[in-house]
């Protein structure tokens, strides 16, 4: 039988300190494991989101490039602006605004009648008003530009426009952003982005276009944000200049820094303009980054990506990146 004094005996100070130390060790280990698991989850979640964004937007870009040139002059199928120190801008003809072949009169089937014609202003500095004669490329207009709940134009504000001289295709191709649509006067206002100044005379065809560009860290299509945390869009264009059925080594623009722009002027550096209708393929690179820093590696994990003729990409910033590259043949050219 235990004595009265034995029944009242408690923990000694040494035993209590040992217990506290053991509990602290378990707590530190548990918290460390929880933090590591959370960091891993954050990385996986962010990378997965970036990957899904890349696939979704790349599919749309591929579709628009593949459909470029449908029922429009071949020279107005695509246009672009190449910036070595910033994201590129892509213009592709808006097939959604063009009348489908099965709605054309039989005598026009297979023709390229769906174009708006105009002359170029005498000078081009800032946005210019273009009187097209008709804002609808056909009689089945696509966009409601004056809030009347009815489609009245095939051109839309923040959308693109591609224009080329039908009689002089070697003048290249130009492109810009539509900043205003005046349905009453059949006129659009265009802020031209492509380099060079087009000739004032000519049989200029204007075609509505989809425009892809990076604004901040968001990819926009016709001014509408498609995905965020997209930091770069880089392009390379491939021509069949000698029309031998294949793209040769010297027939690329914007790939590896060989040319400064995609307007088909001065291809090869010899001052020889090229017919934009000889464009055959477009390669695009989308660089998507994670929404948050990598908590396991806050600097070196975020090294920027270099594609085509891009220089000074983002440095180490803790973001993980995914790059999607695709080469699309323009099936209508």
């Amino acid at each position: 039988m235990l004595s009265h004094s034995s029944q009242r005996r408690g923990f000694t100070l040494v035993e209590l300190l040992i217990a506290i130390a053991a509990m602290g060790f378990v707590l530190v280990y548990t918290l460390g494991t929880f933090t590591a698991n959370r960091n891993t989850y954050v990385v996986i979640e962010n990378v997965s989101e970036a990957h899904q964004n890349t696939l979704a937007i790349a599919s749309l870009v591929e579709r628009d490039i593949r459909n470029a040139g449908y029922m429009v002059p071949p020279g107005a199928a695509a246009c672009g602006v190449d910036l070595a120190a910033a994201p590129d801008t892509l213009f592709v003809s808006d097939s959604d605004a063009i009348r489908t072949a099965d709605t054309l009169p039989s005598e026009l089937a297979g023709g390229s009648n769906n174009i708006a014609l105009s002359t170029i202003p005498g000078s081009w500095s800032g946005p210019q008003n273009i009187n097209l004669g008709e804002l609808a490329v056909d009689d089945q207009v696509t966009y409601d530009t004056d809030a009347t709940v009815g489609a009245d134009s095939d051109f839309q504000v923040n959308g693109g426009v591609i224009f080329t001289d039908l009689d002089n295709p070697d003048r290249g191709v130009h492109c810009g952003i539509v900043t205003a649509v005046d349905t009453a006067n059949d006129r659009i206002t265009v802020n031209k982005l492509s380099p060079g100044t087009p000739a004032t005379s000519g049989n200029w065809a204007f075609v509505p276009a989809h425009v892809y560009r990076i604004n901040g860290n968001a990819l926009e299509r016709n001014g509408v944000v498609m995905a965020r945390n997209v930091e770069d869009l880089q392009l390379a264009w491939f021509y069949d200049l000698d029309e031998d059925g294949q793209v040769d080594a010297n027939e690329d623009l914007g790939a590896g820094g060989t040319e400064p722009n995609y307007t088909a002027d001065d291809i090869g550096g010899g001052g020889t303009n090229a017919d934009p209708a000889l464009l055959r393929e477009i390669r695009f690179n989308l660089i998507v980054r994670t929404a948050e820093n990598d908590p396991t590696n806050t600097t070196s994990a975020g090294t920027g990506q270099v594609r085509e003729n891009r220089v000074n990409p983002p440095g180490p910033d803790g973001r993980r990146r995914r790059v999607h590259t695709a080469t699309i043949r323009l099936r209508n050219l």
Side-chain angles (χ1 to χ4, degrees), residues 61 65 81-90 212-214 219 230-238 253-257 259-260 262 282-288 305-314 323-327:
V61 176
I65 294 177
V81 179
D82 179 28
L83 298 175
D88 296 345
T89 303
L90 171 67
Y212 288 91
R213 55 180 173 169
I214 303 294
L219 177 68
V230 183
E231 69 179 17
D232 208 356
L233 168 65
Q234 289 295 313
L235 305 168
W237 292 31
F238 301 92
L253 292 177
E259 288 297 330
Y262 310 121
I282 296 178
R283 182 170 67 216
F284 72 92
N285 303 267
L286 283 170
I287 300 178
V288 181
Q305 300 292 322
V306 178
R307 288 296 183 273
E308 309 307 346
N309 60 351
R310 183 74 152 95
V311 297
N312 65 345
V323 179
H324 179 91
T325 300
T327 302

Side-chain angles (χ1 to χ4, degrees), residues 38-296:
R38 182 187 178 282
N39 289 344
T40 301
Y41 171 79
V42 169
V43 172
I44 294 175
E45 182 72 11
N46 277 272
V47 171
S48 176
E49 181 182 9
H51 181 68
Q52 292 300 321
N53 284 345
T54 303
L55 292 179
I57 58 182
S59 176
L60 181 58
V61 176
E62 290 179 16
R63 189 205 73 169
D64 282 344
I65 294 177
R66 193 169 287 112
N67 290 335
Y70 177 71
M71 295 299 294
V72 301
C79 180
V81 179
D82 179 28
L83 298 175
D88 296 345
T89 303
L90 171 67
F91 294 79
V92 288
S93 62
D94 182 357
S95 60
D96 299 327
I98 306 302
R99 189 164 23 157
T100 58
D102 58 358
T103 64
L104 286 173
S106 57
E107 64 272 16
L108 297 178
S112 296
N113 67 314
N114 298 321
I115 53 179
L117 301 178
S118 178
T119 57
I120 298 294
S123 63
W124 204 297
S125 59
Q128 293 292 324
N129 293 327
I130 306 296
N131 296 306
L132 296 177
E134 59 173 341
L135 282 176
V137 171
D138 52 61
D139 58 6
Q140 296 182 358
V141 292
T142 305
Y143 301 106
D144 175 19
T145 61
D146 55 8
T148 58
V149 195
D152 48 56
S153 174
D154 283 330
F155 297 88
Q156 59 175 321
V157 174
N158 293 322
V161 58
I162 300 173
F163 49 104
T164 186
D165 188 345
L166 298 179
D167 296 335
N168 301 279
D170 59 352
R171 286 178 170 173
V173 62
H174 296 274
C175 45
I177 304 293
V178 178
T179 59
V181 176
D182 183 355
T183 57
N185 296 299
D186 293 333
R187 181 171 63 198
I188 60 175
T189 304
V190 178
N191 182 20
K192 191 175 78 67
L193 298 185
S194 57
T197 300
T200 56
S201 62
N203 189 23
W204 289 95
F206 285 74
V207 172
H210 294 302
V211 53
Y212 288 91
R213 55 180 173 169
I214 303 294
N215 185 3
N217 286 312
L219 177 68
E220 293 182 348
R221 179 179 185 263
N222 302 328
V224 178
V225 174
M226 304 302 297
R228 301 192 183 277
N229 296 307
V230 183
E231 69 179 17
D232 208 356
L233 168 65
Q234 289 295 313
L235 305 168
W237 292 31
F238 301 92
Y239 285 79
D240 182 14
L241 298 181
D242 53 10
E243 300 185 63
D244 63 352
Q246 60 185 357
V247 176
D248 299 322
N250 64 337
E251 297 178 328
D252 63 317
L253 292 177
T258 57
E259 288 297 330
N261 59 66
Y262 310 121
T263 58
D265 60 336
D266 196 22
I267 289 181
T272 302
N273 293 335
D275 183 350
L278 298 178
L279 177 65
R280 292 295 175 262
E281 296 176 341
I282 296 178
R283 182 170 67 216
F284 72 92
N285 303 267
L286 283 170
I287 300 178
V288 181
R289 72 183 191 186
T290 55
E292 300 180 36
N293 290 353
D294 182 349
T296 66

